[in-house]
Amino acid sequence: MARLNPWRWVVLSLAALYFLVPLAASVIFTVDVPGQGVTFDAYTQIVSTEGFVSSLLLSLGLAGATIAVVLLLMVPAMVALRLGAPRLRPVVEVVCALPLVVPPIAFVAGISTVLKWGPEHLSRTPLFQTFVALQNPDFPFVLVLAYVVMALPFVHRALDTGLRAIDVPTLVEAARSCGASWPQALVRAVLPNLRGALLNSAFLTLALVLGEFTVAQLLGFRPFAVWIYSVAGSQAQLSVAVSVLSLFVTWALLLALAGVGGRNRTAASRG
């Protein structure tokens, strides 16, 4: 094993260079202005730039709604699958993995076709207003539906890993024997033991929504990633500064998530 240590350091060093060199170049590009030297104007101008606050709030709202919808769908389904139909697990895995093999262009083309077909054929029905509400620019819920599908592979894997680490049938049976209903058994017995998996699912979904560009751009909406792209055409330095800042925020969330997970494991081991 000792002979492998130098190779591990070589691999880690190459990986660090691969990730850190572009990041360092981006930071230098944002603070080094020819003729002015080092300045942080690109970062101080971010908040005051038109569209920054509205696009960021829109993306955070979409992320919150996506996390809520995907967890409300997947957690009961995964628990029911583990309790009553374990043989269907491969089928569910294949279905949840489909968004990874469907190109985003094809996915958004299908969504656009449905959105165009609905108003044309359902104009005289109450569903017409539903299609209109789904495309409300202030909060396009159609993006939430799209992001839920795109987040399925990551949420499924995180929840499946968490459920494999606990004895779900025993927990549910113990809760039921104490008089708890099925929803109470899920909330009070299963969910507390899935805290790490739920946090992982929420973080992966948040990162997906904040960084997704293709679907939002082609559907004509302007969340945070699309705003960064639009700013890049006229203010390249500002757009890179926003990207660097968002990357550091994402890292901070990841470290916070790791810290929460570490405290949970420590508390569980002490208990």
Side-chain angles (χ1 to χ4, degrees):
M1 296 295 293
R3 296 179 180 178
L4 296 178
N5 288 333
W7 291 106
R8 291 177 181 175
W9 283 111
V10 170
V11 173
L12 290 175
S13 299
L14 292 175
L17 290 174
Y18 180 80
F19 288 105
L20 294 180
V21 169
L23 179 60
S26 299
V27 174
I28 293 173
F29 175 76
T30 59
V31 300
D32 186 15
V33 179
Q36 299 182 16
V38 177
T39 176
F40 293 93
D41 290 344
Y43 292 94
T44 58
Q45 294 174 2
I46 290 177
V47 178
S48 60
T49 303
E50 182 182 0
F52 169 76
V53 176
S54 59
S55 63
L56 180 59
L57 291 178
L58 176 59
S59 290
L60 292 177
L62 292 173
T66 303
I67 291 171
V69 173
V70 74
L71 289 181
L72 286 175
L73 289 175
M74 289 299 295
V75 172
M78 294 291 292
V79 173
L81 184 69
R82 193 166 183 84
L83 289 175
R87 295 183 179 180
L88 294 178
R89 183 182 300 168
V91 178
V92 175
E93 289 182 356
V94 172
V95 172
C96 290
L98 286 178
L100 295 177
V101 298
V102 177
I105 299 297
F107 181 54
V108 74
I111 296 177
S112 300
T113 302
V114 173
L115 293 178
K116 292 177 181 178
W117 174 86
E120 293 178 358
H121 294 79
L122 303 175
S123 58
R124 298 182 179 180
T125 67
L127 291 177
F128 175 76
Q129 295 299 327
T130 301
F131 277 87
V132 174
L134 287 176
Q135 303 176 69
N136 184 359
D138 295 332
F139 191 84
F141 197 79
V142 64
L143 288 183
V144 174
L145 300 179
Y147 293 156
V148 166
V149 175
M150 297 172 67
L152 282 180
F154 312 106
V155 175
H156 172 266
R157 183 53 56 194
L159 293 178
D160 185 64
T161 302
L163 288 171
R164 287 175 183 268
I166 61 177
D167 190 352
V168 178
T170 301
L171 289 174
V172 173
E173 183 179 354
R176 293 283 293 166
S177 64
C178 294
S181 62
W182 284 105
Q184 290 175 336
L186 176 63
V187 173
R188 298 183 179 180
V190 178
L191 291 186
N193 293 280
L194 287 178
R195 187 175 302 172
L198 295 175
L199 288 174
N200 289 334
S201 302
F203 174 78
L204 292 172
T205 305
L206 175 64
L208 171 72
V209 174
L210 289 180
E212 200 286 321
F213 170 79
T214 304
V215 175
Q217 170 71 6
L218 294 180
L219 290 180
F221 301 110
R222 202 186 186 198
F224 190 55
V226 178
W227 177 82
I228 294 177
Y229 174 79
S230 64
V231 171
S234 57
Q235 305 179 57
Q237 192 177 43
L238 179 64
S239 68
V240 175
V242 174
S243 300
V244 171
L245 184 61
S246 64
L247 180 61
F248 281 119
V249 171
T250 303
W251 283 357
L253 291 173
L254 179 60
L255 292 175
L257 178 63
V260 172
R263 286 196 296 270
N264 290 337
R265 287 192 294 268
T266 302
S269 61
R270 289 179 180 177

